[in-house]
Amino acid sequence: MRPLPPTLRENRRYILVKIAGEFTAPLTQKEIYFTISEAVTSLFGDVGSAAVHVAVVWSEDEHAIVRCSRGSEQKVIASLGVITKILGAPAVFHSVAVSGTIHGVKKHLHPTTWDDEVIAGYRCSGKKVDSLTGSNTHRYLTRDDIIKE
Amino acid sequence: MITDACVFANQDQAATVRRLLLTGKSCGLSRMVICGTAPDIPDSYAGVEVLRGRVVGKQNGKTFLDTMKKIPKGVVVMVYVGENSFNRTAITTKGVHLLTGIADLPKGGFDHIVAKMAADHTTGVVIDLSRIIDAKGRRTALLRYAEILLLHRKFRFPLVIASGADTIFGIRNVEETLALCSLFGMTRAETYAALNGLDAVLSPPRPVRIVEDA
């Protein structure tokens, strides 16, 4: 099919997503897309997900930009909210910002959040930290917890 | 004060209480109710205020009243709903702040009479987001919450939103909460009111009293 002229194209919205989880390897755009698409379909069905028209247009490290049709941002954010796993590992997709352009949404990439002060429990300043439980599972601590221990 | 009305923090879980509070801060929360057996719960951390919470399970009348007597002051008490008669007892018991477990409610467990009683006693009802997030019981939860919302609009009992999280991955930010609550028809204004709804439960409005004659 030939591409539509600009006046006939649907309006889009871009959502910046921050992904946190226990996955070891960096996530690919395809993996992120499949996870989001599955969540949208499970929540709104095939017809709903077709109307939402979701796509992942960019991803880097723990951030991704999700594209959807204008007016369905809330549906996509709700779908992001019900994601609990990616590739079998616990994960969470936090929506950070919504904009009409990719450039606009990328402006929200850099502000640091409180979470940046957090360190995985098994590593702090390059040194291994023994968890209280003694098992090799992930523990989520703050600097204050490590100093206390 | 944007509040998460129920976060579980236990001794053997992966995230420490401080880590949960820090995540809450990054999600835009200003207060969290911590339930569970975790040691060393701070009064506040990273600007997030902490309230202690206690979930009381389904019990028969006498055991329930005994349990209520043992709970210290200053603890936010949540009672797991059950049959209609138990719910009425729970609402009229002094010290009960919230009713939780609405998604598991038996048929006719929360009718218009219980709703009116909850409004009269300023007992809040908890909307637990973890039941919407979990795909297994999502349909039932959405149906129940829609029913509760109808009753809330008529009788005006307080609604309170809780994540019901026990890990850092269970806490949702304000925008996600708004989107999840819109799934069962809650408006933006109602969701904000519910996020700030714990204040109305903990310090209900009282009639004006003359304390000193001029």
Side-chain angles (χ1 to χ4, degrees), chain B:
Chain B
M1 239 184 183
I2 291 179
T3 309
D4 188 336
C6 184
V7 174
F8 293 99
N10 292 314
Q11 201 159 1
D12 53 350
Q13 69 186 35
T16 61
V17 178
R18 284 184 181 82
R19 180 66 175 87
L20 286 167
L21 293 167
L22 203 56
T23 305
K25 178 70 185 178
S26 73
C27 289
L29 303 172
S30 46
R31 185 166 57 184
M32 283 165 102
V33 178
I34 303 282
C35 306
T37 58
D40 186 31
I41 299 173
D43 292 333
S44 72
Y45 186 74
V48 180
E49 201 183 298
V50 178
L51 292 173
R52 308 292 171 89
R54 174 89 186 268
V55 180
V56 179
K58 292 174 197 168
Q59 293 165 339
N60 65 42
K62 196 177 179 305
T63 323
F64 170 68
L65 292 172
D66 289 344
T67 310
M68 285 303 300
K69 280 174 192 167
K70 286 174 192 166
I71 295 171
K73 270 194 171 180
V75 173
V76 179
V77 179
M78 285 168 250
V79 176
Y80 216 84
V81 288
E83 296 297 326
N84 207 323
S85 55
F86 173 76
N87 297 342
R88 291 182 197 195
T89 309
I91 288 166
T92 51
T93 306
K94 198 166 182 261
V96 173
H97 299 110
L98 302 167
L99 296 177
T100 188
I102 293 292
D104 305 322
L105 206 62
K107 208 167 170 63
F110 195 95
D111 57 9
H112 60 286
I113 297 156
V114 179
K116 189 160 183 354
M117 283 173 81
D120 292 342
H121 290 83
T122 338
T123 307
V125 173
V126 176
I127 300 286
D128 191 348
L129 294 181
S130 68
R131 305 308 306 272
I132 300 174
I133 292 165
D134 182 21
K136 208 183 279 182
R138 190 181 295 153
R139 281 185 205 178
T140 318
L142 289 172
L143 273 170
R144 290 274 181 275
Y145 292 159
E147 285 170 19
I148 291 293
L149 191 62
L150 277 173
L151 290 167
H152 161 75
R153 283 171 181 166
K154 186 166 170 55
F155 296 103
R156 312 306 304 172
F157 55 82
L159 278 184
V160 168
I161 293 173
S163 66
D166 55 357
T167 66
I168 54 166
F169 304 124
I171 298 169
R172 295 287 177 266
N173 66 29
V174 177
E175 208 54 50
E176 284 157 8
T177 304
L178 288 164
L180 288 170
C181 289
S182 74
L183 294 175
F184 57 90
M186 215 167 175
T187 63
R188 226 178 152 81
E190 282 170 339
T191 310
Y192 271 114
L195 283 167
N196 294 295
L198 195 65
D199 294 317
V201 175
L202 296 178
S203 44
R206 289 197 178 93
V208 176
R209 287 189 305 125
I210 299 167
V211 290
E212 194 181 319
D213 285 324

Side-chain angles (χ1 to χ4, degrees), chain A residues 11 13 68-75:
Chain A
N11 290 299
R13 281 287 175 270
C68 64
S69 56
R70 191 177 70 183
S72 59
E73 307 94 287
Q74 193 138 46
K75 283 184 178 180

